[in-house]
Amino acid sequence: PAFRMMADGVPASAAQALALGIVDDVTADDLLAAARAKALELAGSGTRRQARDLDRQLQPGDREAFEQAAAEALKRNPDLPNIAALAEVVRATFTETFEAGLALERARFIALVADDRSKALRYAFFAERETARVPGLAKDTARRQIHRAAVIGAGTMGAGIAMCFANAGIPVTVIETGDELLARGLDRIAGTYAASVKRGSLSAEDEARRLSLVAGQVGLEAAADADVVVEAAFEDMDLKRQIFGTLDRVAKPGAILATNTSYLDVDQIAASTGRPGDVLGLHFFSPANVMRLLEVVRGKATAPDVLATALDLGKRLGKVPVVVGVCRGFVGNRMLARRTREAERLLIEGALPHEVDAALTGFGFRMGPFAVSDLAGLDIAWRNRKSLGQTAPVADALCEAGRLGQKAGRGYYLYPEGARGGVRDPEVEALLQQVSARLGVTRRPIPAEEIVERLVYPMVNEGARILEEGIAARPGDIDVIWINGYGWPAWRGGPMRYADQVGLKTVAARL
């Protein structure tokens, strides 16, 4: 248990700490009086209790359980030196004296404090806490009460958002346009919870409690009793304006009206209501019931108490809320668009999908851009490009060929028999040759270092523009967004900190 606590960093409750033996007592009565009584009891015993004198003994199977936990942690976090150091120090429990173990612990601690990755993680820790300080929002701003929620749309995103409310103990109504779509969405929620129970990450009792908080209805009138309404409909401005126009009529006075749009103008959506002060963006990330990031999009008319309530709600839902301004794609997706564009250019110039992905996973990301695209589905970005009159020669050709990603069994990679891990596909590599030839581009090998620079530096440049425009309040906010929403390796501190470490002159020269 000690290794798991240190590796995961998950706090233990008082009751759990007592069961683990890391505290002497827990009281539900007057804390000061109980602490005083305990201190007098220890003082009266005439002995000084120290950890080295405890008579707890290692039990058969402890070493095997530890080695299994250590192997799992090292596999999940191969780039984090603290995990390897923790494993080494705890392993010494089985082989070294108490004094030797303390000396080893001290030596590893000093080394970790000086490690650049440790410095980046400490930066990320404090940057996340800094996001709570929102310029122009007073700490004592009044909050609105949130007792009930409604989510419009029972698709993958809407179902995930509904689960966020249920997980936080907030009753939620899922709203759809028809019975069939509603049933499908409610089944999706039930299936996700059932899978958690099967994995052992959720008890049957908690499953039943959370499901009891989820209701489903057809028609926007079902949002009448909600204190907060989150719209998670199709990414179409006309549709969203129509929904918010109806919500203006059916939602109760003072209800917060939020859109989960990933790109669209929140101010235009708010203008379709007679109460734009109640409107803001709550951009959840997929899967919404898992991802920690929540971009809180402040419109030009968003009332201070609405913004403050949304930030509190985000924390209540277990999210990391970061306030951003209105622009296409806000912070995360706006920067991502720069990376996506450059990834396409790399393919045209000579790189192969697996080479680009390998370069970025080597940098520290869990997945490369093309594996992510296949997972999300290529048709989403394709539809978005067409609505904007934009093109991407490689991605468009794949979509036109029906290569829409994992769900189609083929995208940038081939997925034999529905496998989640893709394999190289000669058809894609032949298509790249054809696209390059059609565009008059002579293909060349592109080294991994150049690939990383060309994917990361344009994002940094866009981040600088975002700061200049006031869309994000500080560089740390951008870094928190990318760490928690886009898989940026926390031990690199985020794109803006990374640029500072590399040197802005170097970034500018390479751009």
Side-chain angles (χ1 to χ4, degrees):
F3 176 79
R4 291 188 188 278
M5 285 186 68
M6 291 185 286
D8 296 340
V10 178
S13 67
Q16 290 170 331
L18 183 64
L20 290 168
I22 56 178
V23 300
D24 290 325
D25 244 327
V26 172
T27 181
D29 301 322
D30 185 281
L31 179 61
L32 184 60
R36 179 176 181 276
K38 190 66 179 180
L40 290 172
E41 175 192 331
L42 293 172
S45 68
T47 59
R48 182 187 175 194
R49 299 176 64 214
Q50 294 181 288
R52 72 182 66 207
D53 300 325
L54 296 177
D55 59 0
R56 299 174 192 141
Q57 300 295 319
L58 292 170
Q59 301 299 315
D62 282 351
R63 178 68 181 265
E64 182 180 352
F66 158 71
E67 294 294 353
Q68 181 180 347
E72 291 172 356
L74 288 166
K75 184 178 180 180
R76 288 195 308 270
N77 304 281
D79 298 310
L80 295 183
N82 61 308
I83 301 298
L86 281 172
E88 182 184 5
V89 169
V90 176
R91 187 174 289 114
T93 302
F94 300 96
T95 59
E96 304 293 337
T97 64
F98 187 86
E99 288 73 15
L102 284 181
L104 178 64
E105 182 178 324
R106 179 65 179 168
R108 295 296 173 267
F109 174 79
I110 291 173
L112 287 172
V113 166
D115 191 288
D116 286 340
R117 289 165 292 186
S118 174
K119 294 175 183 177
L121 288 167
R122 294 198 297 274
Y123 162 84
F125 177 89
F126 288 109
E128 183 175 315
R129 277 142 188 80
E130 189 73 7
T131 60
R133 296 180 56 216
V134 179
L137 186 67
K139 286 185 178 181
D140 59 354
T141 301
R143 268 65 168 173
R144 300 187 186 185
Q145 296 299 307
I146 303 294
H147 300 296
R148 299 190 65 84
V151 176
I152 299 171
T156 301
M157 183 59 76
I161 295 172
M163 291 177 67
C164 291
F165 284 106
N167 294 347
I170 300 172
V172 57
T173 300
V174 181
I175 300 172
E176 257 298 353
T177 56
D179 291 329
E180 184 178 343
L181 289 173
L182 180 60
R184 195 181 306 162
L186 294 177
D187 286 346
R188 182 179 287 112
I189 293 171
T192 305
Y193 280 137
S196 296
V197 173
K198 187 175 181 179
R199 286 195 306 267
S201 59
L202 184 70
S203 69
E205 293 76 16
D206 280 340
E207 176 193 25
R209 179 181 58 79
R210 295 178 188 189
L211 283 173
S212 71
L213 294 170
V214 180
Q217 291 192 44
V218 172
L220 292 177
E221 289 74 14
D225 295 330
D227 300 304
V228 59
V229 183
V230 181
E231 167 272 314
F234 187 69
E235 197 79 336
D236 177 85
M237 178 59 82
D238 290 339
L239 175 61
K240 291 183 186 292
R241 285 176 59 86
Q242 180 183 344
I243 289 172
F244 274 77
T246 303
L247 287 176
D248 189 32
R249 175 174 54 82
V250 302
K252 67 182 183 182
I256 294 176
L257 308 180
T259 174
N260 181 55
T261 180
S262 302
Y263 292 95
L264 300 179
D265 189 326
V266 172
D267 291 332
Q268 284 191 41
I269 295 172
S272 63
T273 75
R275 39 170 145 175
D278 291 342
V279 179
L280 81 171
L282 289 180
H283 180 207
F284 290 79
F285 286 71
S286 186
N289 55 304
V290 175
M291 297 296 288
R292 296 182 69 220
L293 179 64
L294 178 66
E295 281 185 319
V296 180
V297 188
R298 173 166 51 179
K300 64 182 180 182
T302 302
D305 63 331
V306 169
L307 183 63
T309 304
L311 288 169
D312 286 357
L313 177 62
K315 294 174 184 175
R316 192 173 165 189
L317 298 181
K319 305 300 182 184
V320 179
V322 183
V323 174
V324 300
V326 176
C327 66
R328 182 164 184 83
F330 315 125
V331 171
N333 282 343
R334 177 172 162 179
M335 292 172 65
L336 180 65
R338 294 292 181 182
R339 190 182 83 177
T340 301
R341 190 175 306 145
E342 196 61 36
E344 171 90 3
R345 289 173 178 165
L346 286 165
L347 293 184
I348 294 171
E349 291 180 26
L352 297 175
H354 72 277
E355 294 171 341
V356 175
D357 282 353
L360 213 57
T361 55
F363 181 79
F365 281 83
R366 294 294 176 91
M367 297 177 71
F370 299 119
V372 170
S373 292
D374 275 359
L375 179 63
L378 275 66
D379 52 321
I380 298 173
W382 188 32
R383 194 164 52 235
N384 186 43
R385 284 194 300 276
K386 287 193 289 188
S387 71
L388 296 171
Q390 297 175 350
T391 60
V394 175
D396 290 349
L398 291 174
C399 291
E400 289 162 3
R403 306 185 66 102
L404 302 180
Q406 283 188 20
K407 60 188 175 186
R410 56 187 191 145
Y412 287 99
Y413 299 101
L414 194 62
Y415 298 87
E417 298 179 2
R420 293 185 66 81
V423 296
R424 289 177 63 177
D425 190 341
E427 287 187 17
V428 171
E429 296 178 14
L431 182 146
L432 294 178
Q433 296 278 356
Q434 295 167 11
V435 171
S436 298
R438 176 163 53 84
L439 296 175
V441 176
T442 301
R443 296 178 65 81
R444 66 179 177 88
I446 303 178
E449 182 180 2
E450 180 184 339
I451 291 173
V452 169
E453 289 180 348
R454 289 179 59 178
L455 292 177
V456 172
Y457 291 173
M459 289 168 41
V460 170
N461 196 45
E462 195 65 26
R465 291 193 180 102
I466 285 169
L467 290 170
E468 186 178 11
E469 295 169 18
I471 301 299
R474 54 185 75 87
D477 287 7
I478 295 176
D479 289 337
V480 170
I481 286 171
W482 267 83
I483 289 171
N484 290 283
Y486 296 86
W488 182 280
W491 54 270
R492 286 195 184 273
M496 306 314 287
R497 183 184 187 277
Y498 177 72
D500 283 339
Q501 299 302 111
V502 171
L504 297 182
K505 288 185 178 180
T506 299
V507 174
R510 294 298 293 155
L511 283 169

